[in-house]
Amino acid sequence: MVTPVYSPSLTSVPPTPGQQSQPLHEERQCNLVVDICYTSSGVPQMLAHFLMEKKTISFTLCGTQLFFALTLGGTEFLLLAAMAYDRYVAVCDPLRYTVVMSPRLCMGLAGVSWFVGVANSAVETAVTMRLPTCGHNVLNHVACETLALVRLACVDITLNQVVILVSSVVVLLVPCCLVSLSYAYIVAAIMKIRSTQGRRKAFETCASHLTVVSMSYGMALFIYMQPRSTASAEQDKVVVLFYAVVTPMLNPLIYSLRNKDVKGAFSRVLMKNFESKN
């Protein structure tokens, strides 16, 4: 409930002058929309199953849920890489920031992110949902997730393993490497700043994005990059629940800490509660 209610209110808050740039504000809005859609695509079904004694889901609904989860998850990883490039330009080349991060480039980065996310999801969903289960239709998971569905297969899954590996490289490992490269240049640029205040301001510019990146990429890398011999269904459940529920809920809170209007509202609420208790 928190993400669908709180995130839209943040997308409508304009950027505070001197606190965040217009291109980054638009990218964060896009990222928050992805979070809302991602949560809405799977969490309602999870909540329904928690309340139901007999937990069932149709083949079509399962495939639909898988498609949207993969699309939105892959798109978010790519958008985070685009936002890392935005931060790189803001810190390493601030005088040319508005020229480099033009509306056309921002739209292009967002469009490429969505296109790759949809294309990757379409391929992975098609390859996963074609697998025969030979009557094994009990899904040991909280949602229709690729690895859980592949475990039900009663045929050779080599093709699926190759597709999952390629997908993980395209939408997870490559964006993660690009983010790491961007922040390597950012750290090098920050270390060259002589004043403590300047270093602090440069770090605060990237702090919220870096926090979100750490949570998002960390959870996904844990799921898809660990050896299958050490993986367990119970671990996957916990990680997927964290990524589907906790991360989208925390993202808008983390981003809002950079907005003076939101921080002011929080301060007024805390002061009002404190005064009412006294």
Side-chain angles (χ1 to χ4, degrees):
M1 290 293 291
V2 176
T3 304
V5 172
Y6 185 53
S7 293
S9 64
L10 286 181
T11 61
S12 63
V13 176
T16 303
Q19 287 295 313
Q20 69 178 26
S21 55
Q22 187 64 29
L24 181 62
H25 178 69
E26 293 172 354
E27 290 164 4
R28 284 178 176 174
Q29 284 184 320
C30 188
N31 190 256
L32 291 172
V33 169
V34 170
D35 282 336
I36 296 169
C37 295
Y38 187 89
T39 303
S40 302
S41 69
V43 173
Q45 186 70 44
M46 292 183 197
L47 294 175
H49 282 171
F50 286 144
L51 299 174
M52 295 165 58
E53 184 176 349
K54 187 176 181 181
K55 303 170 178 59
T56 59
I57 186 170
S58 67
F59 180 84
T60 303
L61 183 57
C62 185
T64 303
Q65 185 183 99
L66 177 64
F67 172 78
F68 281 106
L70 290 173
T71 296
L72 296 165
T75 301
E76 181 173 25
F77 295 143
L78 295 165
L79 284 173
L80 288 173
M83 292 170 69
Y85 177 70
D86 178 285
R87 295 299 80 199
Y88 159 75
V89 177
V91 174
C92 299
D93 196 5
L95 296 180
R96 297 182 63 246
Y97 176 79
T98 54
V99 176
V100 176
M101 297 305 298
S102 62
R104 183 176 180 180
L105 178 61
C106 292
M107 290 295 293
L109 291 173
V112 170
S113 299
W114 278 101
F115 175 78
V116 175
V118 171
N120 169 75
S121 177
V123 173
E124 190 169 340
T125 301
V127 173
T128 302
M129 299 307 293
R130 71 169 183 84
L131 290 173
T133 60
C134 302
H136 303 126
N137 57 0
V138 178
L139 189 65
N140 185 21
H141 212 282
V142 295
C144 288
E145 196 263 343
T146 304
L147 299 179
L149 290 168
V150 169
R151 290 192 186 102
L152 298 179
C154 58
V155 296
D156 181 65
I157 58 171
T158 302
L159 176 61
N160 294 81
Q161 292 175 331
V162 172
V163 170
I164 291 173
L165 178 61
V166 173
S167 173
S168 300
V169 170
V170 172
V171 301
L172 181 57
L173 199 57
V174 170
C176 187
C177 290
L178 292 175
V179 171
S180 300
L181 183 63
S182 297
Y183 274 101
Y185 281 105
I186 289 172
V187 170
I190 291 176
M191 295 304 294
K192 293 178 182 179
I193 300 175
R194 295 182 178 181
S195 67
T196 304
Q197 185 178 1
R199 288 185 180 182
R200 181 180 177 181
K201 185 176 180 180
F203 175 76
E204 288 178 350
T205 302
C206 309
S208 57
H209 175 256
L210 189 58
T211 304
V212 172
V213 164
S214 300
M215 290 194 305
S216 299
Y217 284 135
M219 293 294 101
L221 287 170
F222 181 84
I223 296 174
Y224 290 102
M225 291 301 177
Q226 65 175 324
R228 287 294 95 197
S229 58
T230 63
S232 70
E234 296 305 316
Q235 279 183 341
D236 287 350
K237 289 179 186 179
V238 174
V239 175
V240 167
L241 277 174
F242 186 90
Y243 185 77
V245 180
V246 179
T247 301
M249 181 179 67
L250 292 179
N251 285 354
L253 293 173
I254 294 169
Y255 285 138
S256 68
L257 295 178
R258 290 282 297 146
N259 190 287
K260 284 185 176 180
D261 295 331
V262 177
K263 286 193 289 187
F266 279 141
S267 299
R268 287 192 294 271
V269 170
L270 291 175
M271 288 296 296
K272 195 173 290 185
N273 289 337
F274 179 77
E275 291 173 358
S276 62
K277 290 181 180 179
N278 293 335

